[in-house]
Amino acid sequence: MDEDESFHDTIASDVGTSPTDGGVAQALVPGIRLADRYEVRAFLGAGAMGDVYRVLDTHLDEEVALKRLTGATQRSIDRFLREVKLSRRVTHRNVGRTYDLGTHEGVPFLTMEIIEGRALEEVLEEKGRLSESETRRIGGDVCRGLAAAHDAGVIHRDLKPGNIMIAHDGRVLLTDFGIARAAQEAKLTQAQQLIGTPLYMSPEQVTGAEVDARSDLYALGVMLFEMLTGAWPFDGDTAVAVALARVHGTPRDPREVLALPDDLADLIMALLAREPDERPESAEAVARLLNGESILERVVPTRLDQGSIAVLPFAYRGPDDSNYLGDALAEELTDVLGRIRGMRVVAYSASRALGHDADPRAVSQTLGVQHVVAGSVKRQGSAVRITSRLVEGDGAQLWSERYSGDVEDVFELQERLARRIAEELRLEISVNAVQTHASPEAVELYLRARRTLLSSGYSSAGDVLTDLEGCIHLSPGFTPAYALHAIACTRLWFIGVIESPGQDRRTRAEESIRRAIEHAPDEADTHLASGILALQSHQLAAAAHSFVRALRIAPTHALAQSYLATLQNEVGPVEEAERRLRLAMELDPSLITSTSMALARIAYFDGRFDEFEAHRLRSFPIGDGRPAQLLRVRSGLWGRDAAILESMRPEIGQDDSPATNFVAGAIHYGLGDMDAKLADGIFKSMVSGIDNVRFRSLMLQVLVELHLFRDEHDRAFAILDDLIADGLGDLVWLDQCPSFAAVRSDPRFVSARHKVQVVARDVNKFDSRGTRTWA
């Protein structure tokens, strides 16, 4: 007898006759303890299967959700036990986790992950419908959770917005496998019994025909239709009438309700196909389609290429209660790698079956892959050390790295480390995959240039161009070199706008980007460089389009995440910008200066002043404290605190660099050492030769804040008009910066805000199909 059968017998014995004879269990009150372990904290809600409470697991000192099966029949208890068995098979970040089983006063219960957030159903009731980008993001996460369940042989059978939770941190989770069943098990009900919610049921569920994973995809299609349009694909007076209509009728095209991109509307119509065979092949395929691939791109490659990879389970050493870490990290890494365009990743179920100690050469032959990732996880106390390595199919090790972290939040840790490992693997494999087109000398030049550019940032942009041009000369087919050359040129233009203004660096950047688009259109850096150039020129919609394209190719690209976050920090949504900035810094700690400056502004505008100061100090790069100085100056202007500016007098640098002069001029004007007319002339002179619109605008925004600090409102609005003429899209600055507090009722401000709002709205609507999307 296995564990689940033993538990079934225990439940049947403990339940007795009271609950199963139709009695209703008493509600639980706060303070009561179940199974001498779970202390009730609060009632969370009730559903068809029972009631749910927030409880404290006194053994682990953690809060969990506890679900009871109240007023049950023996059949519902049987189904409840199957729910537990099935739920425990599925471990994925987009599926709510099930922990423990037990009984209390004859009533069975299970404990689950407690999700701080709201059901998608509540969100839809509040908003009516969601944006395209929100729908793609939520739908993609639902697909990934479904893919994990289907891979474990589990069909949800009751997919609906009420069973989708949106956590406060943005994570999307599938919950309530209460009527799920294993794909290989016999039916649990009579053919005529409806299992599921009529509004979302597939035609085969309605008719009692055989159900498989494609029934969940049909329900997903109904949900996507509802999320995008706020309407239903079928009409009917009752839920059952709607369910029956889909057996004989044809679903409405969502484009009849709302203008939608063709790829998304076509996907929904495919999901709503009456015959299961006409629906997409898998939840994983739907996730890719939601990410922007053509609805026609459904053919699975028959041969895995140089980008093909399999991830073995990570070997684990440590306490038994964390022995799941090796599997969890490998599965998370597989999921992240699978989102990178051009990288073919074998399903984790296939590589997991081979074990963590499998010979990479045998894995390569068995699974038909070119690369194998293996590793180990060691836990000691709260510390976790992870070692990962990339091995070629012939057994040669290409790359290895160690990572350390803390196990306070193991799921957050595995996600963070998986993204870091995935990005380094992406770079390693992208270079390895095209080495057949490059000589060893060319590859070495490229790698040296990349290392220099990543480690030294903007200051090294000019130095790496010679290496990259040498690489391209030696091996014209080596595509990463074209893309990195474009990145270096855009950086060189940005840092050269003050020291040596002129069109030559901009022209060089434009020519490099055109060449990269021609020779390396599938490289993420190509589109990142294009986006950077557009951003610096205040072509914000085009910049958004390019950043999104870069992230669709490489979702773990730290710099692309950072640039898209920078744009979102101005046009919104700021919450998404903050999440991206933190992700970018996790993926690449060298981005700490730019990300910390952006995070500092977000924190100050949100009233988190301690966080602002912490981010400001982190923006202090080695050898250059001017970014941190400028942030401190601006905080004095935002808070109308002259004492801050006064305290900075001793910090004013003595060198004659443009950056130092700018900071010094801001302090002197803010403290009244020069009049407004002189300040206007000095600052305008500083920016007059700058052809980089964005750099010029950043400087002029500080001048606006200085004029407002000195109550020179007319001058502030005059500069603001110049900014708007240059294409300013920083609506967040206008709405949240405290410097504008005294003038927000001024008609000139109202007019200016409206013009900037139009720009921001256009950016938020834009993607390659002309509608809003964020990657």
Side-chain angles (χ1 to χ4, degrees):
M1 179 181 295
D2 65 21
E3 176 188 351
D4 291 301
E5 289 172 341
S6 175
F7 179 76
H8 181 284
D9 291 343
T10 301
I11 291 289
S13 173
D14 288 351
V15 166
T17 59
S18 178
T20 57
D21 288 342
V24 178
Q26 294 294 317
L28 302 178
V29 297
I32 192 172
R33 183 170 293 198
L34 289 77
D36 198 31
R37 177 171 180 173
Y38 301 104
E39 183 179 301
V40 175
R41 291 290 178 84
F43 173 74
L44 294 180
M49 295 290 290
D51 48 7
V52 185
Y53 297 84
R54 180 191 295 270
V55 301
L56 175 68
D57 183 341
T58 58
H59 288 192
L60 300 177
D61 194 31
E62 293 181 354
E63 286 193 336
V64 298
L66 184 145
K67 177 178 177 180
R68 296 194 307 166
L69 185 63
T70 57
T73 64
Q74 189 59 53
R75 176 174 291 179
S76 61
I77 291 175
D78 290 342
R79 190 179 299 155
F80 176 81
L81 294 174
R82 289 184 175 88
E83 169 186 358
V84 175
K85 289 177 65 177
L86 296 174
S87 298
R88 292 170 73 182
R89 291 186 191 179
V90 187
T91 303
H92 192 272
R93 71 181 303 272
N94 295 121
V95 177
R97 295 173 180 86
T98 301
Y99 299 135
D100 190 24
L101 308 165
T103 61
H104 177 73
E105 295 181 351
V107 179
F109 68 79
L110 79 160
T111 58
M112 305 171 290
E113 174 183 7
I114 194 163
I115 304 168
E116 302 291 355
R118 297 195 298 168
L120 176 59
E121 183 177 46
E122 297 176 58
V123 176
L124 289 172
E125 287 176 354
E126 176 185 304
K127 294 186 175 183
R129 62 183 182 87
L130 303 183
S131 66
E132 181 197 337
S133 63
E134 287 178 294
T135 301
R136 287 184 186 272
R137 180 183 70 83
I138 293 172
D141 284 348
V142 170
C143 287
R144 283 181 273 275
L146 280 178
H150 295 166
D151 194 46
V154 177
I155 307 168
H156 194 289
R157 291 171 60 91
D158 194 24
L159 192 65
K160 59 183 178 181
N163 287 337
I164 306 297
M165 291 295 297
I166 314 294
H168 290 324
D169 63 1
R171 190 159 58 113
V172 179
L173 298 100
L174 280 69
T175 66
D176 197 357
F177 283 80
I179 58 172
R181 69 171 184 176
Q184 71 272 24
E185 289 180 356
K187 293 184 181 180
L188 301 177
T189 60
Q190 298 298 320
Q192 291 80 12
Q193 183 177 352
L194 291 183
I195 299 246
T197 303
L199 288 172
Y200 300 90
M201 284 193 302
S202 64
E204 58 268 27
Q205 280 179 284
V206 175
T207 60
E210 187 64 38
V211 168
D212 61 21
R214 294 169 296 182
S215 294
D216 285 345
L217 298 186
Y218 186 96
L220 174 65
V222 180
M223 282 176 44
L224 292 174
F225 193 111
E226 179 186 6
M227 291 160 68
L228 284 165
T229 69
W232 300 91
F234 293 93
D235 293 322
D237 296 332
T238 66
V240 173
V242 171
L244 293 174
R246 69 196 59 189
V247 176
H248 306 291
T250 301
R252 178 169 33 170
D253 191 308
R255 283 165 290 205
E256 297 175 13
V257 184
L258 187 72
L260 292 174
D262 288 338
D263 77 306
L264 195 51
D266 290 343
L267 172 59
I268 291 173
M269 294 303 291
L271 289 167
L272 294 176
R274 188 181 309 166
E275 297 300 327
D277 289 343
E278 297 176 6
R279 298 171 201 158
E281 62 190 14
S282 67
E284 183 179 354
V286 176
R288 293 197 187 101
L289 296 170
L290 285 170
N291 197 39
E293 295 182 17
S294 169
I295 190 70
L296 300 176
E297 296 173 4
R298 296 188 187 181
V299 180
V300 177
T302 56
R303 180 185 63 84
L304 294 174
D305 54 21
Q306 285 281 345
S308 61
I309 191 168
V311 182
L312 294 177
F314 279 42
Y316 173 76
R317 292 173 56 194
D320 289 342
D321 62 354
S322 297
N323 59 11
Y324 59 87
L325 279 176
D327 253 345
L329 180 61
E331 185 174 18
E332 186 77 30
L333 179 56
T334 301
D335 183 54
V336 175
L337 288 170
R339 301 176 208 167
I340 298 175
R341 182 169 294 181
M343 191 174 292
R344 306 297 184 185
V345 186
V346 171
Y348 182 59
S349 58
S351 53
R352 180 185 184 185
L354 301 177
H356 64 81
D357 56 352
D359 185 332
R361 289 171 295 185
V363 173
S364 176
Q365 293 178 354
T366 302
L367 301 180
V369 296
Q370 292 291 329
H371 302 91
V372 177
V373 179
S376 62
V377 181
K378 182 179 180 180
R379 177 181 176 184
Q380 188 170 10
S382 63
V384 176
R385 171 172 286 184
I386 296 172
T387 302
S388 59
R389 65 184 188 278
L390 176 66
V391 183
E392 274 195 309
D394 61 3
Q397 181 167 299
L398 296 174
W399 167 89
S400 66
E401 191 58 81
R402 288 184 175 181
Y403 307 87
S404 297
D406 194 88
V407 79
E408 284 185 3
D409 185 345
V410 65
F411 299 111
E412 190 273 337
L413 172 67
Q414 72 187 44
E415 181 180 9
R416 186 176 73 248
L417 291 181
R419 289 188 300 232
R420 285 193 61 189
I421 295 171
E423 177 59 12
E424 294 184 42
L425 287 173
R426 181 185 73 83
L427 295 174
E428 192 68 36
I429 292 176
S430 66
V431 174
N432 186 64
V434 293
Q435 281 191 18
T436 54
H437 304 293
S439 67
E441 295 81 7
V443 173
E444 178 56 35
L445 287 172
Y446 169 80
L447 293 176
R448 185 170 70 187
R450 176 171 280 282
R451 283 194 297 268
T452 302
L453 193 62
L454 291 179
S455 61
S456 304
Y458 285 77
S459 62
S460 65
D463 301 333
V464 305
L465 292 178
T466 300
D467 281 347
L468 291 170
E469 286 165 353
C471 173
I472 292 169
H473 176 73
L474 289 170
S475 299
F478 190 68
T479 56
Y482 294 97
L484 193 64
H485 189 280
I487 291 287
C489 285
T490 57
R491 287 189 168 191
L492 187 62
W493 174 47
F494 185 81
I495 64 170
V497 292
I498 292 181
E499 286 86 350
S500 56
Q503 289 293 324
D504 56 331
R505 294 190 178 188
R506 179 192 177 104
T507 300
R508 188 177 192 177
E510 291 172 339
E511 291 174 348
S512 181
I513 290 169
R514 279 196 294 268
R515 183 175 66 170
I517 291 172
E518 178 183 354
H519 293 281
D522 296 327
E523 295 286 339
D525 280 348
T526 295
H527 302 288
L528 173 60
S530 179
I532 294 172
L533 184 71
L535 182 66
Q536 306 306 339
S537 306
H538 265 186
Q539 298 169 6
L540 302 186
H545 170 50
S546 294
F547 296 150
V548 166
R549 288 194 67 183
L551 286 171
R552 283 181 175 164
I553 295 170
T556 53
H557 198 307
L559 197 57
Q561 291 282 2
S562 176
Y563 268 104
L564 182 54
T566 298
L567 186 53
Q568 288 179 310
N569 194 17
E570 299 179 4
V571 303
V574 176
E575 298 81 3
E576 178 68 17
E578 186 168 13
R579 285 196 295 271
R580 285 189 191 278
L581 288 165
R582 295 184 187 279
L583 170 59
M585 195 155 45
E586 287 175 3
L587 291 169
D588 184 357
S590 70
L591 296 175
I592 191 168
T593 296
S594 58
T595 53
S596 292
M597 290 183 69
L599 287 168
R601 188 181 98 152
I602 291 172
Y604 194 99
F605 287 178
D606 196 39
R608 294 175 273 152
F609 303 119
D610 290 343
E611 283 188 42
F612 163 81
E613 188 62 16
H615 289 309
R616 186 187 75 82
L617 293 175
R618 278 196 289 270
S619 73
F620 193 115
I622 296 174
D624 189 355
R626 289 170 299 190
Q629 283 184 331
L630 185 58
L631 274 173
R632 183 155 172 78
V633 169
R634 297 186 77 178
S635 72
L637 303 178
W638 295 337
R640 300 193 67 81
D641 189 347
I644 290 178
L645 303 184
E646 187 64 46
S647 71
M648 296 186 67
R649 279 189 188 275
E651 299 179 24
I652 297 176
Q654 300 302 312
D655 66 275
D656 196 36
S657 69
T660 297
N661 288 337
F662 184 82
V663 173
I667 293 173
H668 287 310
Y669 176 44
L671 291 174
D673 296 343
M674 65 176 78
D675 64 25
K677 183 176 180 181
L678 177 60
D680 247 2
I682 290 175
F683 280 92
K684 287 180 178 179
S685 175
M686 286 184 182
V687 303
S688 61
I690 298 176
D691 70 310
N692 184 313
V693 180
R694 180 171 180 80
F695 197 95
R696 182 170 69 234
S697 292
L698 292 174
M699 297 175 72
L700 290 179
Q701 283 181 256
V702 177
L703 181 56
V704 170
E705 294 168 359
L706 282 163
H707 282 322
L708 292 171
F709 183 77
R710 292 289 305 275
D711 294 323
E712 294 283 349
H713 294 176
D714 290 343
R715 292 186 180 275
F717 280 116
I719 301 298
L720 186 56
D721 286 342
D722 292 341
L723 285 167
I724 292 172
D726 275 343
L728 179 72
D730 198 347
L731 183 64
V732 173
W733 178 57
L734 293 180
D735 283 347
Q736 298 185 14
C737 179
S739 295
F740 291 101
V743 298
R744 286 202 168 94
S745 60
D746 191 308
R748 293 173 294 180
F749 178 86
V750 175
S751 174
R753 185 192 180 281
H754 174 72
K755 294 173 184 177
V756 175
Q757 184 182 32
V758 170
V759 176
R761 186 182 298 148
D762 286 344
V763 176
N764 270 305
K765 287 180 179 179
F766 184 93
D767 77 341
S768 61
R769 306 166 194 85
T771 54
R772 179 187 184 274
T773 185
W774 296 116

